[in-house]
Amino acid sequence: MKLEVSSGRSRPGTTTPVATGVVALSGAALAFAFPEADLAPVAWVALVPLLILLQERSTRSALGLGAAFGYAFFGTLMIWVGIVGWAAWFALVSFQVASLVAFAWVFAWLSRNAGARTALISAPFLWVAIDFLRSVFPVFGFTWGQLAQSQHDLLWFIRPAALGGAWLVTGIVVAVNATIAHIVLVARERRAAAVGPPLAACIALIAAPALLPANTADGPPINVAIVQGNVPRDWTGTGFEKRQTILENHVNATQELAGEDIDLVVWSESAVGIDLDNDPFVAEQIAQAARAVEAPMIVGGDLDAGPDNYRVMAFLVSAEGEVIDRYQKTHLVPFGEYIPGRPLLEWIPMLDQVPRDAIPGKEPVVFDVADGKVAPVISFEGDFGSLVRGRIAHGGRLLVVATNTSTWRESWASAQHVAFSQLRAVENGVGVVHAAVSGISAFVAPNGEVLQSTPLWTRTAIVNRMTFAEGITPYARLGDWLPLLCIGTTIVVVGRTVVQRRRNGLEVPT
């Protein structure tokens, strides 16, 4: 059965200012479902205007609406990127908007050629498929703005992530929006009797995740300390002196924990900005901190690799102060830690802010700590569920995310990063130790609950009892089966629509 949409004309050719304004407002509103505004239920309805206004739109009109929604959403969500330059903000936002433009184009095409009902049923599959591709392309992808992130504090609602990753939570959010859009379209046709079933389906979509069991970890317990050394603000000294001050902050805060029952200390990314392999004094400072607290430490730092390169590292330091294992970051931040195709882009002045390229590591590493295995990831890596679940499948039973969000000051960025760690906890069924050099640092339970956190811009240390997981979730074992299914489903729906129209002797417009 095909649900027809009456809009006064069968195929609007251009986007009206009113329609553009409506989708732009709804896109901006969606950003407020994310941290730190955290109006999570807004995400259940923010897509509705877009889904309705895309019905039977021409390609040109659909592209315009997708762009308006995308720039308003991503532009608001990541407004903090403007701290490093508005050109960088515009470029990054534009890359993300491309995914929403693609969604709008395909969705509108389906509504014209297969009907509103088929388009709405396909919407969650199409959205997840494109979101997954956004996490891979271009330049190894970007995940910020994944709809599941907006639901991070609704612990019952994010439980499905254990089955299908954050992709499944995102799909449910889109399905709720699509169901509400269907209700609006049915009500517009004054078909009151037809409203009941989709309304019941909408309630079920929101409530059903609560029927799934919450993750727990039942392995050996471990007392973990996060040391947040903080970053000096309004610094007037040299860069080397600043890095030395950050290191001393971490050393002093760790030594203040002496005498406490601690099994592991975690320092953030950038805690050690001076090459400890080449500076014995730095290595000895770290060793003194480990010996004072009588516990192994995971320490974030950099190693020089010649005049033009460096390595982003996490070191495992024994309680005696020796570096006994190390992990080299594998997924680097493009235009942050390295410049893709640098020889072709050297003419751009702002790229002087990244004078050296980091070298990626080749493989994941799992640290043996106390009675369990700890999977370390560094900053940007924690944003990728696909990457993290591989570390857990590799044997990790507690996740450490070492990060540095100090560049983003008091913006939403730090809270949004913690939300990713909450999703990683639920996806894998493990606790997360999220250590940030200037905050927000946090302990996250396997069910996604933030057990303890720190404020921004303070030198502090927090201690919590974490538990190694004994088992892992279906998502950690099976991986990205859902987005791959969504890609396949989208291809099938589009292909079937093309075949049916050709059998009926109809054109297949773009």
Side-chain angles (χ1 to χ4, degrees), residues 18-389:
V18 172
T20 302
V22 168
V23 297
L25 285 173
S26 61
L30 177 58
F32 286 87
F34 289 72
E36 287 185 295
D38 275 325
L39 304 176
V42 171
W44 303 345
V45 297
L47 301 181
V48 172
L50 179 67
L51 297 177
I52 291 175
L53 289 169
L54 282 174
Q55 297 297 328
E56 298 189 1
R57 291 279 174 176
S58 68
T59 297
R60 181 178 178 182
S61 181
L63 296 179
L65 290 173
F69 185 93
Y71 275 106
F73 168 50
F74 285 112
T76 304
L77 181 71
M78 299 190 296
I79 192 70
W80 41 269
V81 177
I83 291 172
V84 297
W86 291 109
W89 168 84
F90 181 77
L92 181 58
V93 167
S94 296
F95 274 126
Q96 308 319 305
V97 169
S99 65
L100 277 167
V101 169
F103 172 84
W105 174 34
V106 179
F107 181 86
W109 183 91
L110 282 174
S111 72
R112 293 197 311 270
N113 296 287
R117 180 171 296 172
T118 297
L120 290 171
I121 291 173
S122 302
F125 299 94
L126 175 60
W127 188 287
V128 171
I130 291 176
D131 219 30
F132 176 73
L133 295 176
R134 181 171 72 93
S135 77
V136 179
F137 304 104
V139 198
F140 307 116
F142 196 68
T143 55
W144 225 272
Q146 187 181 34
L147 294 181
Q149 191 188 8
S150 70
Q151 308 297 295
H152 68 107
D153 273 342
L154 301 184
L155 300 184
W156 96 90
F157 197 85
I158 61 176
R159 290 180 187 178
L163 302 177
W167 312 115
L168 183 51
V169 179
T170 291
I172 294 171
V173 172
V174 179
V176 171
N177 279 272
T179 306
I180 294 173
H182 178 78
I183 292 170
V184 172
L185 294 174
V186 167
R188 180 186 293 177
E189 295 184 346
R190 296 187 175 89
R191 296 168 55 199
V195 170
L199 180 60
C202 184
I203 295 171
L205 283 168
I206 294 172
L211 300 177
L212 295 172
N215 291 337
T216 58
D218 302 315
I222 180 173
N223 292 330
V224 182
I226 297 175
V227 172
Q228 180 176 299
N230 204 14
V231 175
R233 308 191 72 180
D234 302 319
W235 182 258
T236 57
T238 67
F240 180 86
E241 290 170 338
K242 181 177 181 179
R243 292 190 291 273
Q244 181 63 46
T245 299
I246 294 171
L247 172 60
E248 290 173 354
N249 286 349
H250 283 82
V251 170
N252 293 336
T254 302
Q255 291 174 334
E256 291 168 6
L257 295 171
E260 296 194 29
D261 182 16
I262 295 173
D263 302 302
L264 175 66
V265 176
V266 178
W267 290 5
S268 69
E269 179 190 25
S270 305
V272 185
I274 305 169
D275 190 327
L276 62 81
D277 282 349
N278 293 321
D279 192 320
F281 178 70
V282 170
E284 179 57 24
Q285 284 184 293
I286 296 169
Q288 287 177 1
R291 291 194 290 266
V293 79
E294 299 181 317
M297 306 197 307
I298 295 177
V299 173
D302 295 340
L303 292 180
D304 294 327
D308 298 322
N309 300 103
Y310 69 103
R311 297 181 177 90
V312 183
M313 307 293 297
F315 303 96
L316 177 61
V317 181
S318 71
E320 291 73 35
E322 298 179 1
V323 175
I324 57 176
D325 206 349
R326 56 185 66 197
Y327 164 65
Q328 184 174 343
K329 187 176 184 180
T330 61
H331 193 132
L332 301 173
V333 182
F335 301 102
E337 292 171 328
Y338 76 105
I339 304 300
R342 181 183 286 273
L344 301 175
L345 302 174
E346 287 181 338
W347 57 273
I348 302 176
M350 66 177 295
L351 297 185
D352 291 341
Q353 298 179 54
V354 187
R356 299 193 300 168
D357 288 338
I359 301 172
K362 296 181 179 180
E363 59 185 7
V365 172
V366 175
F367 292 153
D368 289 310
V369 177
D371 295 317
K373 294 184 179 295
V374 176
V377 297
I378 301 175
S379 194
F380 189 57
E381 296 181 317
D383 304 348
F384 293 83
S386 306
L387 181 149
V388 172
R389 55 86 30 194

Side-chain angles (χ1 to χ4, degrees), residues 496-509:
R496 181 171 176 268
T497 301
V498 170
V499 170
Q500 285 185 337
R501 289 189 66 85
R502 287 179 174 170
R503 283 179 179 174
N504 295 332
L506 300 173
E507 293 184 8
V508 185

